[in-house]
Amino acid sequence: MTDFDPANFANVGPKEFAQLVKSTPDDKIAEVMSGEMRGKILSEVFGRMPQLFRADRAGSTNAVIHWNITGRADGGTDTYEVVIENGTCTVNEGATRDPKLSLTMGPVEFLKIVSGGANPVMMFMTGKLKAKGDLGLAANIANLFDIPKA
């Protein structure tokens, strides 16, 4: 499977997904992520986060993290809330609690980060990723998850 076909997205594992993102041109990802499959892809990615969470690496980390993904077809932003508490990770669509860290990025950057195909620190330094709040947590966030590598 070499084409970024969102219809098959739910049927691939994290490593295959990472390969899909890596092999798909940015403009194609942007096109898909501004279409009707955006919600399904975001739900699938965030739905996998609790399984990829590494409690052994989190230690005593307790944090509410808001992921704001811009670039919706209507010009809006989708927000997901990731809560790391007492060695567990839960995800909610929408924001209900005050975040310790708020991350804002476009859909292409988001998919590259969660598929291990981008360096979040470099994205922050180049303005492709905006972080507000606990920047130490932002720098360490990738270590809290088993991010697949393509």
Side-chain angles (χ1 to χ4, degrees):
M1 187 162 74
T2 55
D3 192 24
F4 191 75
D5 182 359
N8 295 326
F9 177 65
N11 303 323
V12 300
K15 192 166 181 67
E16 293 81 5
F17 173 69
Q19 188 60 50
L20 271 178
V21 172
K22 184 178 181 179
S23 64
T24 304
D26 290 0
D27 59 340
K28 175 70 173 162
I29 293 175
E31 178 188 321
V32 169
M33 290 300 286
S34 66
E36 59 190 43
M37 294 304 295
R38 176 186 171 101
K40 180 176 171 49
I41 292 171
L42 290 176
S43 292
E44 189 68 32
V45 169
F46 281 102
R48 291 178 182 186
M49 278 191 176
Q51 289 85 20
L52 298 174
F53 178 65
R54 292 287 306 266
D56 59 315
R57 293 186 191 161
S60 60
T61 300
N62 285 321
V64 175
I65 304 163
H66 288 175
W67 291 76
N68 305 298
I69 296 97
T70 61
R72 243 182 12 210
D74 65 2
T77 298
D78 288 299
T79 299
Y80 285 79
E81 185 174 78
V82 175
V83 180
I84 297 171
E85 237 172 12
N86 305 318
T88 64
C89 173
T90 55
V91 177
N92 306 303
E93 190 170 343
T96 59
R97 296 168 59 176
D98 286 337
K100 185 173 189 176
L101 173 65
S102 186
L103 301 169
T104 303
M105 70 212 76
V108 173
E109 292 74 23
F110 169 72
L111 289 181
K112 286 187 174 194
I113 287 173
V114 298
S115 66
N119 179 331
V121 175
M122 285 303 296
M123 291 179 121
F124 175 73
M125 290 170 54
T126 58
K128 293 179 178 177
L129 164 70
K130 293 179 178 52
K132 192 169 125 190
D134 186 337
L135 298 183
L137 175 62
N140 190 46
I141 198 165
N143 296 328
L144 301 178
F145 296 91
D146 262 338
I147 297 176
K149 296 280 189 274

